[in-house]
Amino acid sequence: MFQDVYDVIVVGAGHAGSEAAAAAANLGSKTLLVTMSLQNIAQMSCNPAMGGIAKGQIVREIDALGGYSGIVSDKTGIQFKMLNKSKGPAMWSPRVQSDRMRFAEEWRLMLERTPNLDFYQEMVSGLLIENGKVRGVRTSLGIEIRGRAVVLTNGTFLNGLIHIGEKQFGGGRAGESASFGITEDLVRAGFESGRMKTGTPPRVDGRSLDYSKMNEEKGDARPDKFSYSDETRPLERQKSCWMTYTSNDVHDILREGFDRSPMFNGRIKSLGPRYCPSIEDKINRFADKERHQLFIEPEGWDTVEVYVNGFSTSLPEDVQYKALKSVAGFENVKFFRPGYAIEYDYFPPTQLKHTLETKLVENLYFAGQINGTTGYEEAASQGLMAGINAHLKIHEKDPLVLRRDEAYIGVLIDDLITKGTEEPYRMFTSRAEYRTLLRQDNADFRLTPKSFEIGLASESRMRRMEHKFAEAEKMVQFFRTTSVSVAEMNPILESKDSAPIIQSDKLFKLLSRPQVDLDDLMTVESVATYINEHQPDREILEQAEVQVKYAGYIERERNNADKLTRLEDVKIPDSFDYDKVRSMSIEARQKLKHIRPVTISQASRISGVSPSDISVLLIHMGR
């Protein structure tokens, strides 16, 4: 029925599990993906979209490393937007509205085409742990499946409890049962567990909405895409989203149901995502606001189902319905299903190493919401890294750990391991101190060589990246060395309200001006000639322009990152005895003993560890 011993067993087939299984299998590990429902692989449990602020950068990084999320998003998108284009490129974030059904279908088909990957549908109810090492899993039918490494990606299913008003029932998401047994096994093994909450809005029938009362939200006129590969193309047609608003009348109706809300009457005790609050939380915390935005998002090309983004709620279904009917355009709304909240078990991620392997049980990895994160993109990136590192560990190869100056994925995992989280963790650009280095346009430069080295990114991916890098560098050098005359440049500068030049100047210096962009220079004869001769594609043009316009910022951040990297190279021995460092604060000793950072740099980022504690630590290490 099964292979005698799998290299890697992945439990759960959400975004984390799907990426983990694909990565391990593509690297050559014989992999088994176990899920409670093969019909719901990579299901978009909440909003039908990928990317967004900081999250879009993560999807680009997953793609640069050889993951599938970017390709699937491109193939199943219905609208593309590059967010924050009015700001600097460090803030630009791609986002795609997805066809929910086709997204899950494409993921399943890609996984089924992946060599070395087997599937099995059943609930995993326990772990096989012997002498501090995981040996496999046990299913609800009592079947024991052996594996050299196990990756847990259980999402919201571990002892999941769904709330709709006064009603509550077990479930991992609407229409699917919760998972039982794994938490209890892990707690018996010494793990600390906790509870978190998330929620989702109602889904409604788009035919019952009056879009004439809403604002139309179109995609980009020139849509881009996520994947750096030639496997996908930008969207040729797009579907609009819509925007409307709540009102004081809507808020008053919602308040009437607060006494029946599990959020306010004490039935929900766990913390939900701070940056994606429920509608009842929003009108309670921001009582002075007369209205809140609602984004009306179609769930696909052909379905009439619509997602009401911004109306996440666990209020009783009759209150949800009455309140939504008072929203402009929703007067005749018909529900497909009400919104709900869900509580589930998670495991504080300070119990993990930076590879996402647990400290307590060897070869056991956690990825996704089990680590306290929220969001498809955050989950997928952890799954990818857990799948990679599980493969590398059992094949006795060096792990792949990304630094904070190398990837948003590195920031995410480092934050989880060194700081932990007591509320669902969501990625923002502000969490990355080197965000000018970690742009969405250069993820392939940063990460494809690392993935190619371990055997995940393909030869064609690597060669494509090298070509793009060389051509962008060549173009930047052209701007550095080519001058333009006063007569040719000043009319352009005057049209852009930029100060004229009094003598010929280098194109590099002129393109560095905030008012001037590359399109403005296309009429300059030397630029037009270069473009005509070299035929650079859109990616190369964008890359060259960003490197010119932000050269000073990039260099400054690179220098700062290099200084920090020196501390990353200072390793702390596994056996280091913090109790002997008496001049260190008690809090610092306790935190360092609990988290056991691998390097001085990681130690410096732990909450409660001060610069003076780090100085003392360095002295005791003989530095």
Side-chain angles (χ1 to χ4, degrees):
M1 186 173 179
F2 299 105
Q3 182 159 316
D4 288 343
V5 180
Y6 282 94
D7 292 322
V8 178
I9 298 173
V10 179
V11 180
H15 298 261
S18 296
E19 287 287 7
N26 280 323
L27 283 166
S29 281
K30 189 61 182 173
T31 306
L32 176 68
L33 180 59
V34 189
T35 175
M36 290 196 291
S37 173
L38 287 169
Q39 310 311 312
N40 294 319
I41 285 176
Q43 184 69 254
M44 288 178 143
S45 305
C46 201
N47 65 316
M50 288 291 283
I53 306 301
K55 294 166 172 280
Q57 284 89 328
I58 290 176
V59 177
R60 281 270 168 97
E61 290 177 352
I62 291 169
D63 183 75
L65 286 164
Y68 287 174
S69 290
I71 292 173
V72 174
S73 297
D74 287 344
K75 288 184 174 181
T76 61
I78 63 175
Q79 186 195 88
F80 186 95
K81 273 190 175 182
M82 185 67 76
L83 307 181
N84 280 344
K85 281 290 281 188
S86 61
K87 301 179 181 179
M91 304 295 285
W92 297 355
S93 302
R95 182 184 190 271
V96 68
Q97 196 72 29
S98 301
D99 186 311
R100 182 193 300 275
M101 289 185 288
R102 292 181 182 177
F103 184 92
E105 178 189 41
E106 184 63 29
W107 250 113
R108 175 164 177 169
L109 293 175
M110 286 189 72
L111 288 173
E112 288 185 357
R113 291 193 293 266
T114 301
N116 301 315
L117 182 56
D118 291 347
F119 302 85
Y120 185 58
Q121 177 174 296
E122 205 197 324
M123 181 193 295
V124 170
S125 58
L127 298 170
L128 307 178
I129 300 172
E130 300 168 7
N131 301 318
K133 182 180 285 191
V134 73
R135 299 294 186 183
V137 299
R138 183 186 307 104
T139 74
S140 56
L141 291 177
I143 300 169
E144 293 190 352
I145 309 172
R146 293 276 163 172
R148 298 169 67 193
V150 173
V151 182
L152 294 184
T153 69
N154 301 82
T156 59
F157 282 77
L158 292 179
N159 294 320
L161 185 64
I162 291 174
H163 298 267
I164 303 176
E166 300 98 331
K167 306 177 184 75
Q168 59 183 45
F169 47 91
R173 57 181 164 227
E176 296 182 62
S177 64
S179 171
F180 305 101
I182 290 178
T183 294
E184 293 71 20
D185 269 10
L186 291 173
V187 169
R188 277 193 294 272
F191 287 91
E192 174 193 350
S193 70
R195 294 284 277 177
M196 278 190 178
K197 176 201 85 113
T198 190
T200 191
R203 296 342 187 254
V204 303
D205 188 333
R207 296 169 298 184
S208 66
L209 304 182
D210 184 353
Y211 293 105
S212 69
K213 296 181 179 179
M214 306 180 198
N215 300 322
E216 188 174 9
E217 299 284 318
K218 295 184 176 181
D220 288 349
R222 291 174 58 199
D224 204 334
K225 64 191 188 83
F226 274 119
S227 181
Y228 293 101
S229 74
D230 294 322
E231 198 172 329
T232 63
R233 295 284 180 269
L235 293 172
E236 294 180 359
R237 63 187 180 111
Q238 299 188 72
K239 195 164 185 173
S240 290
C241 296
W242 303 82
M243 185 172 69
T244 186
Y245 297 89
T246 61
S247 64
N248 280 326
D249 288 344
V250 176
H251 299 174
D252 288 342
I253 294 169
L254 291 168
R255 288 189 187 98
E256 289 174 12
F258 276 10
D259 61 328
R260 300 166 62 198
S261 165
M263 240 188 67
F264 295 120
N265 62 22
R267 276 199 301 278
I268 292 179
K269 297 179 173 62
S270 47
L271 286 174
R274 178 194 304 254
Y275 304 103
C276 188
S278 64
I279 188 66
E280 54 263 43
D281 195 23
K282 278 192 276 195
I283 65 173
N284 186 51
R285 283 165 50 190
F286 309 108
D288 56 316
K289 287 194 177 291
E290 294 183 356
R291 65 180 192 172
H292 294 282
Q293 291 179 334
L294 298 179
F295 292 95
I296 314 309
E297 302 180 347
E299 300 244 339
W301 285 115
D302 304 314
T303 181
V304 297
E305 188 173 359
V306 169
Y307 179 88
V308 189
N309 194 339
F311 205 87
S312 178
T313 181
S314 58
L315 285 165
E317 63 275 17
D318 59 314
V319 178
Q320 296 182 35
Y321 179 64
K322 186 178 177 184
L324 262 187
K325 281 180 69 71
S326 296
V327 172
F330 279 72
E331 292 83 0
N332 298 305
V333 66
K334 294 180 180 178
F335 268 33
F336 271 19
R337 57 186 167 100
Y340 61 88
I342 181 166
E343 288 186 289
Y344 55 93
D345 293 339
Y346 86 105
F347 290 80
T350 51
Q351 301 172 99
L352 303 177
K353 302 174 183 178
H354 276 73
T355 58
L356 297 180
E357 183 185 17
T358 67
K359 296 172 183 175
L360 279 174
V361 177
E362 191 178 354
N363 294 348
L364 176 63
Y365 295 76
F366 292 173
Q369 285 177 286
I370 192 173
N371 290 336
T373 60
T374 181
Y376 309 142
E377 304 82 359
E378 290 89 342
S381 66
Q382 293 171 68
L384 177 70
M385 298 306 294
I388 288 171
N389 281 311
H391 166 86
L392 294 174
K393 172 80 184 294
I394 61 174
H395 289 90
E396 299 180 347
K397 296 180 179 179
D398 292 337
L400 178 63
V401 174
L402 302 175
R403 299 195 311 265
R404 296 181 72 91
D405 64 317
E406 291 178 325
Y408 272 93
I409 298 173
V411 175
L412 166 68
I413 293 175
D414 186 67
D415 276 355
L416 293 174
I417 274 65
T418 59
K419 300 174 184 176
T421 186
E422 294 178 351
E423 61 185 48
Y425 178 103
R426 179 181 179 181
M427 179 53 71
F428 292 100
T429 50
S430 58
R431 295 192 191 272
E433 57 270 51
Y434 304 116
R435 52 188 172 272
T436 307
L437 300 179
L438 308 182
R439 306 183 310 277
Q440 56 83 30
D441 60 87
N442 70 350
D444 52 345
F445 294 171
R446 293 184 275 118
L447 301 176
T448 298
K450 292 179 179 293
S451 184
F452 180 70
E453 189 177 338
I454 64 170
L456 186 55
S458 65
E459 176 90 17
S460 62
R461 279 291 190 105
M462 188 64 182
R463 299 300 159 245
R464 191 178 191 280
M465 183 281 296
E466 290 174 337
H467 171 76
K468 174 184 164 185
F469 183 84
E471 290 301 308
E473 286 292 307
K474 189 188 298 180
M475 194 168 188
V476 171
Q477 193 59 27
F478 163 76
F479 285 122
R480 286 188 188 278
T481 57
T482 305
S483 297
V484 63
S485 68
V486 172
E488 199 170 10
M489 195 66 208
N490 274 349
I492 298 172
L493 296 176
E494 288 167 9
S495 70
K496 305 295 287 189
D497 291 327
S498 187
I501 56 176
I502 57 174
Q503 61 184 25
S504 62
D505 211 343
K506 292 288 189 287
L507 286 166
F508 189 97
K509 186 175 178 182
L510 294 166
L511 184 54
S512 297
R513 294 190 181 192
Q515 305 94 331
V516 179
D517 57 38
L518 187 53
D519 286 340
D520 298 322
L521 300 182
M522 291 300 185
T523 57
V524 174
E525 185 179 355
S526 58
V527 176
T529 301
Y530 183 94
I531 298 293
N532 188 52
E533 287 180 358
H534 294 83
Q535 296 291 311
D537 63 25
R538 186 167 155 188
E539 280 187 54
I540 293 167
L541 291 171
E542 180 183 273
Q543 185 61 223
E545 183 172 13
V546 167
Q547 288 191 33
V548 171
K549 293 190 84 66
Y550 297 90
Y553 296 100
I554 293 169
E555 184 179 5
R556 193 178 311 128
E557 268 194 17
R558 183 74 270 159
N559 290 337
N560 290 339
D562 288 344
K563 290 175 186 174
L564 188 68
T565 301
R566 296 184 198 123
L567 290 180
E568 289 285 3
D569 292 336
V570 182
K571 306 289 185 186
I572 302 173
D574 289 340
S575 58
F576 189 86
D577 187 357
Y578 292 101
D579 287 327
K580 290 182 177 179
V581 190
R582 306 308 303 174
S583 49
M584 184 184 288
S585 71
I586 294 174
E587 181 185 8
R589 273 206 307 275
Q590 289 173 341
K591 293 284 182 68
L592 290 165
K593 284 164 63 179
H594 175 63
I595 295 173
R596 301 213 67 87
V598 177
T599 69
I600 289 292
S601 181
Q602 291 169 14
S604 71
R605 294 190 292 273
I606 296 172
S607 174
V609 178
S610 68
S612 61
D613 294 323
I614 295 297
S615 297
V616 170
L617 182 57
L618 282 167
I619 291 168
H620 274 263
M621 289 176 60
R623 307 289 296 192

